[in-house]
Amino acid sequence: ESKCKERAAELRDEILFRQPERTHVGDCPICCLPLPIEMNGSSWYSCCSTVICDRCAYANYLRQLRQRLPSVCPFCRHPVPETKEEANKINLKRVEANDPAALHNIGSKHHDEGDYEVAFEYWKKSAEFGNVMAHYELSVLYREGEGVEKDTKKELCHLEEAAIAGHPEARF
């Protein structure tokens, strides 16, 4: 039994310290090129909770302009919400459907407003569905004690999950 636990720990370390094949943000679903680590080179669409590179978003914009088409999401082709309220309403529908990206997004909004307990609940649920950013955000909450008690063990657990999935800041 102790040999099994040792081997399990060795395998976990191998996974943890291996260089990830791609970043935590993944690839653009349209052009299949890696998305930039920083969000300033990509756009998030609330209609389908999809992140698309700015190159594809711009190409879609030009196509719509040239062909005089209505503004639609380049991925799912649903109309782009015209107001923030409309986008929030769509995002809440995605949250009800347990969309990990939408859960993370709502959690981030609550965190920015200082509502750490609610942010924790959304990020926890998002992390359960495998959202890498939610794992990283939870590690920060556990480290800082924002909305939860400080807990180094839980912090490291979430940090490891984020690092394994390729989150660059979690790998430090």
Side-chain angles (χ1 to χ4, degrees):
E1 186 179 318
S2 67
K3 287 190 178 204
C4 286
K5 287 182 180 180
E6 286 177 28
R7 181 65 183 142
E10 286 174 16
L11 290 173
R12 177 84 176 167
D13 283 348
E14 270 182 44
I15 293 169
L16 181 60
F17 294 110
R18 183 181 320 142
Q19 185 66 30
E21 293 179 18
R22 55 178 36 124
T23 68
H24 66 292
V25 289
D27 301 331
C28 173
I30 297 174
C31 67
C32 299
L33 292 174
L35 289 166
I37 292 174
E38 297 296 323
M39 282 298 290
N40 59 2
S42 56
S43 302
W44 188 79
Y45 289 84
S46 61
C47 49
C48 54
S49 293
T50 303
V51 178
I52 297 168
C53 73
D54 282 349
R55 298 173 301 274
C56 290
Y58 184 66
N60 183 59
Y61 169 76
L62 289 178
R63 181 185 66 83
Q64 291 169 352
L65 201 61
R66 288 183 188 132
Q67 297 176 9
R68 292 184 170 80
L69 299 171
S71 181
V72 296
C73 170
F75 184 69
C76 70
R77 303 291 186 206
H78 279 87
V80 174
E82 294 181 17
T83 64
K84 282 190 175 188
E85 290 77 25
E86 194 178 337
N88 286 337
K89 187 176 178 182
I90 292 169
N91 199 27
L92 288 174
K93 280 185 181 179
R94 306 243 4 131
V95 165
E96 289 172 11
N98 289 326
D99 182 319
L103 289 163
H104 178 263
N105 190 330
I106 294 289
S108 296
K109 286 182 181 181
H110 283 285
H111 184 268
D112 292 345
E113 294 167 359
D115 195 352
Y116 303 124
E117 291 85 10
V118 176
F120 171 78
E121 291 302 324
Y122 280 109
W123 285 341
K124 181 179 174 188
K125 195 167 187 179
S126 181
E128 288 171 3
F129 289 114
N131 187 291
V132 178
M133 282 298 298
H135 277 293
Y136 180 73
E137 303 287 6
L138 286 171
S139 75
V140 173
L141 288 183
Y142 281 118
R143 182 183 68 225
E144 302 297 326
E146 293 177 333
V148 293
E149 272 188 49
K150 287 185 178 187
D151 189 332
T152 306
K153 192 172 184 178
K154 288 181 181 178
E155 172 199 351
L156 292 176
C157 176
H158 287 289
L159 208 53
E160 282 183 6
E161 290 299 321
I164 288 170
H167 192 288
E169 292 178 39
R171 297 187 65 81
F172 280 107

